[in-house]
Amino acid sequence: MLSIKKLKVSIENNLILKGLNLEIKNGEVHAIMGPNGSGKSTLASVIAGNDNYKIESGSISFFGKNINNFSPDERAMMGIFLAFQYPVEIPGVSTINFIKTALNRIREFNKKKPLDAVGFLNTMKKKMNLVKIDRDLLSRSINEGFSGGEKKRNEIFQMAMLEPKLSILDETDSGLDIDALKIVSNGVNKLRTKDNSTIVVTHYQRLLDYIIPDYVHVLIDGKIVKSGNKDLALELENKGYDWL
Amino acid sequence: MSEESKIIKEFTSKEYEHGWSVNLEADEAPIGINDDIIKFISKKKEEPRWLLEWRLEAFQIFKKMEEPDWANLNYPKIDFQKIKYYSAPKQKKSPKSLNDVDPELIKTFNRLGISLNEQKKLTGVAVDAVIDSVSVATTFKDKLLELGIIFCSFSEAVKEHPKLVKKYLGTVIPRNDNYFSALNSAVFTDGSFCYIPKGIRCPMELSTYFRINAANTGQFERTLIIAEDSSYVSYLEGCTAPMRDENQLHAAVVEIFAAKNAEVKYSTVQNWYPGDENGKGGIYNFVTKRGICFGNNSKISWTQVETGSAVTWKYPSCILKGDNSVGEFYSVAVTNNYQQADTGSKMIHIGKNSKSKIISKGISAGFSQNSYRGQVKIMKRAKNSRNFSQCDSLLLGNKCGAHTFPYIDVENKSSLVEHEATTSKIGEDQIFYCLQRGIDEENAIALIVNGYAKEVLKQLPMEFSVEAQKLLSLTLEGSVG
Ligand SMILES: Nc1ncnc2c1ncn2[C@@H]1O[C@H](COP(=O)(O)OP(=O)(O)OP(=O)(O)O)[C@@H](O)[C@H]1O
Ligand SMILES: [Mg+2]
């Protein structure tokens, strides 16, 4: 599904990713861990197409297509979803209206008819149940005045609505209480199919008890320095990053 | 951005939807302004003597005044001798009913999405259609009259209801109020007149649609709304003009009178031709709008969505004379390319416990300049009065400007004035967030901007609100990226 080769990325002339390789196949869950500032969010942003970052060399392919020059909305329509580490607030735009606009554009891209009001509401109800999000929250402006946990939950709700092929969860667990963590992980697991894949960026092994990864990668200073299975996460929890 | 969306963007960014004009045979005054032209206009309108004299006096006042230069606007001096002050589409006879209206004119308005057919049209809105210097049709007149509501063109009101016109004309905005009100008083041609009798809630929206068609012609409309005790009316105003390389002048005067317990809601979607993307052409829009809350507990609410015009100079105001009276001003002003807007409101508190609210949302893009100018004055006897003003500016890009000029003057200690102002740039992170969900850039900006302006847009009646949202997006198309 996703193939990243020798990727070098800079922002404002600082090289952040320094030759990164990553292969993700259909249905896999990959966890990415690493110290603060090592480039995890940068990687997530670059996959999503944020043009504040400059690709110096290397390639990102999605289903065999080089997407280096694709705009963020094209990538989103192709099925790439990013649950932001810091979801932004958009005053005056209701969450429901926002998701509806997004969903219908993605459907159009996939040559599906737009959902009518009833169809949309039904889908919404199902997905709301999945991540246990409040209807009231969705009537409010996107993320405006949401608590940290509510914002994260809203990200996962949007993911559930848009049914992406590749989801990138950037520290979705930070700021969630234990119950919310379980609910959100449960939601993510329920949305797993043999076709869609997930990248989980996290600092805590705890999340990986719920969302069990096929692979764990350690990102340090813009490179993946070690990969392994879920035991690697436990090892990191005990030993930190210094031994690498 | 893909090649395809680039092409679409280029294609759509230039479009001013209403930029066409039709060839209408016109009855016109010679170019320029002098006593004879004013007599010509007055004669065309078959006006009584007093009104002609009123106009001629206004012209004397105008000649002694100077064009104001305090606004944050930059445009060449207007040559008032190069403007045509009267142009009326020739109609075979003056229409007695809608059936007599020239089909060519009906077609013109149909093309603008304004139906003058009472059967077809949603029954919720009555329309007065004004083209250049004359009103060509007013719908639902008879139905409204059954309730005692008078809704007709200004010219007709002068003929049919001279006492009312004489009693109120120029009382809220005297001729010498300012340069453009003096000019308008001398040469005004047509506009709408509404009278809501005591205790009547007007059952439909009243609206006037203004269209400039003829070249080199100024439009000087005059509107007068009178709401008697405990009455209510919601009034809408829309406008468009053809694309022309020359600038055209529009100088209107709108007066509102609200008696005790009356409420008037006045909404405008201003979409005059803004000029091209290099700032060539476009309407100079110099408008004086003012309402007086004359009686106790009366209320006047202005809502405006300003997207058009090359230059806008406009400060819809309220004089809160009655005790407990309420004045409101909700505004969204969008400027793109080389447009300039200097707009805001004045709230003059005279009555006790009077309240006013100003919500202004400026949005600037391209090379445009967008200024809020507002005055809140609380007089000594206006005890326990309140004003809340919020003036927000949103910048798209870094070549445009946003400015705020608040003037506050409170003459008693029991009153309270609050003023809040913010300036922000449209967030790249907000746009990226939308893009990441699959929403394209144009729609992302439209969503964010409409969200920003929501507090104002929600004041508009439904049909207008949808149109206004589309207009906001259209105006800003191609302004980012
Ligand atoms: N606009 C910028 N200008 C300069 N440096 C930047 C900019 N944005 C990010 N960086 C730097 O890029 C590096 C990688 O940041 P990134 O957000 O990808 O780290 P991270 O691994 O996600 O960290 P965390 O675990 O704290 O979320 C950091 O050193 C950061 O300071
Ligand atoms: Mg991060």
Side-chain angles (χ1 to χ4, degrees), chain A residues 40-41 85 170-171:
Chain A
K40 302 179 298 295
S41 294
Q85 183 174 2
D170 191 358
E171 295 197 26

Side-chain angles (χ1 to χ4, degrees), chain A residues 11-12 14 16 34-43 53 85-86 170-171 201 203 219:
Chain A
I11 183 159
E12 285 166 20
N14 299 316
I16 309 289
N36 293 134
S38 58
K40 302 179 298 295
S41 294
T42 302
L43 175 63
Y53 298 89
Q85 183 174 2
Y86 305 108
D170 191 358
E171 295 197 26
V201 175
H203 287 293
L219 180 60

Side-chain angles (χ1 to χ4, degrees), chain B residues 453-464:
Chain B
K454 191 175 190 179
E455 211 180 334
V456 174
L457 296 176
K458 75 176 185 210
Q459 297 295 329
L460 291 171
M462 262 305 275
E463 310 87 35
F464 255 43

Side-chain angles (χ1 to χ4, degrees), chain B residues 170-187:
Chain B
T171 55
V172 188
I173 303 172
R175 288 168 292 185
N176 63 1
D177 185 79
N178 68 72
Y179 192 66
F180 294 100
S181 70
L183 176 66
N184 176 287
S185 301
V187 300

Side-chain angles (χ1 to χ4, degrees), chain A residues 50 52 72-74 76 80-82 84 88-93 98 102 105-106 143 155 158, chain B residues 1-2 428-441 443 447-448 450-452 454:
Chain A
N50 189 332
N52 284 333
D73 54 324
E74 284 170 305
I80 293 175
F81 181 92
L82 170 59
F84 287 81
V88 303
E89 304 188 357
I90 310 182
V93 179
F98 175 76
R105 180 119 193 280
I106 292 172
N143 297 324
E155 293 292 288
Q158 292 180 46
Chain B
M1 190 187 302
S2 74
E428 268 178 43
D429 52 345
Q430 289 176 327
I431 294 178
F432 181 66
Y433 191 80
C434 296
L435 292 176
Q436 206 304 302
R437 298 300 187 247
I439 299 169
D440 63 313
E441 188 165 351
N443 275 312
L447 267 179
I448 296 166
N450 276 306
Y452 165 81
K454 191 175 190 179

Side-chain angles (χ1 to χ4, degrees), chain A:
Chain A
M1 172 181 294
L2 182 76
S3 171
I4 297 178
K5 296 217 166 79
K6 296 186 185 156
L7 186 67
K8 290 191 180 169
V9 169
S10 67
I11 183 159
E12 285 166 20
N13 292 323
N14 299 316
L15 197 63
I16 309 289
L17 299 183
K18 305 174 177 170
L20 182 140
N21 296 298
L22 185 64
E23 287 291 330
I24 297 181
K25 297 205 178 61
N26 287 12
E28 290 177 349
V29 174
H30 289 238
I32 296 180
M33 304 182 79
N36 293 134
S38 58
K40 302 179 298 295
S41 294
T42 302
L43 175 63
S45 297
V46 171
I47 297 173
N50 189 332
D51 63 8
N52 284 333
Y53 298 89
K54 186 165 171 236
I55 298 183
E56 301 287 352
S57 62
S59 67
I60 306 173
S61 305
F62 191 55
F63 290 104
K65 238 187 219 170
N66 183 321
I67 57 165
N68 280 21
N69 294 318
F70 281 39
S71 67
D73 54 324
E74 284 170 305
R75 298 180 199 211
M77 289 189 291
M78 291 166 77
I80 293 175
F81 181 92
L82 170 59
F84 287 81
Q85 183 174 2
Y86 305 108
V88 303
E89 304 188 357
I90 310 182
V93 179
S94 89
T95 311
I96 294 179
N97 186 22
F98 175 76
I99 297 175
K100 196 170 171 198
T101 310
L103 181 61
N104 282 336
R105 180 119 193 280
I106 292 172
R107 288 178 69 92
E108 189 188 329
F109 179 84
N110 291 314
K111 308 220 159 35
K112 287 192 208 158
K113 279 209 199 98
L115 278 184
D116 60 13
V118 178
F120 181 78
L121 277 178
N122 285 340
T123 315
M124 207 174 85
K125 267 189 207 140
K126 253 184 265 161
K127 304 293 161 87
M128 274 165 58
N129 226 344
L130 206 64
V131 293
K132 304 256 176 333
I133 195 165
D134 229 33
R135 171 73 209 236
D136 289 352
L137 210 59
L138 300 178
S139 311
R140 281 163 52 183
S141 299
I142 303 168
N143 297 324
E144 199 184 23
F146 285 25
S147 75
E150 287 168 340
K151 284 183 184 170
K152 295 299 176 73
R153 211 182 276 215
N154 186 22
E155 293 292 288
I156 300 305
F157 172 69
Q158 292 180 46
M159 175 183 117
M161 288 297 291
L162 301 180
E163 299 182 335
K165 300 197 171 77
L166 174 67
S167 306
I168 308 164
L169 313 185
D170 191 358
E171 295 197 26
T172 302
D173 53 336
S174 319
L176 288 182
D177 61 42
I178 296 288
D179 292 338
L181 183 70
K182 279 184 197 160
I183 293 164
V184 164
S185 318
N186 187 33
V188 172
N189 288 331
K190 285 214 176 111
L191 292 165
R192 272 182 82 167
T193 69
K194 63 179 188 356
D195 290 323
N196 61 26
S197 312
T198 313
I199 298 174
V200 233
V201 175
T202 183
H203 287 293
Y204 307 106
Q205 193 275 331
R206 190 185 58 188
L207 175 70
L208 305 179
D209 285 341
Y210 299 106
I211 303 174
I212 297 169
D214 301 298
Y215 299 94
V216 174
H217 309 279
V218 184
L219 180 60
I220 294 179
D221 193 23
K223 275 186 194 158
I224 289 178
V225 297
K226 194 167 176 66
S227 298
N229 62 13
K230 68 176 169 41
D231 297 337
L232 178 56
L234 271 176
E235 201 174 350
L236 291 171
E237 182 101 331
N238 292 328
K239 296 206 241 166
Y241 295 108
D242 285 348
W243 58 284
L244 287 162

Side-chain angles (χ1 to χ4, degrees), chain B residues 1-18:
Chain B
M1 190 187 302
S2 74
E3 200 48 38
E4 192 184 10
S5 56
K6 240 183 223 157
I7 293 166
I8 295 171
K9 190 164 172 174
E10 268 169 32
F11 185 71
T12 50
S13 62
K14 292 191 196 87
E15 214 56 65
Y16 174 74
E17 205 186 340
H18 307 290

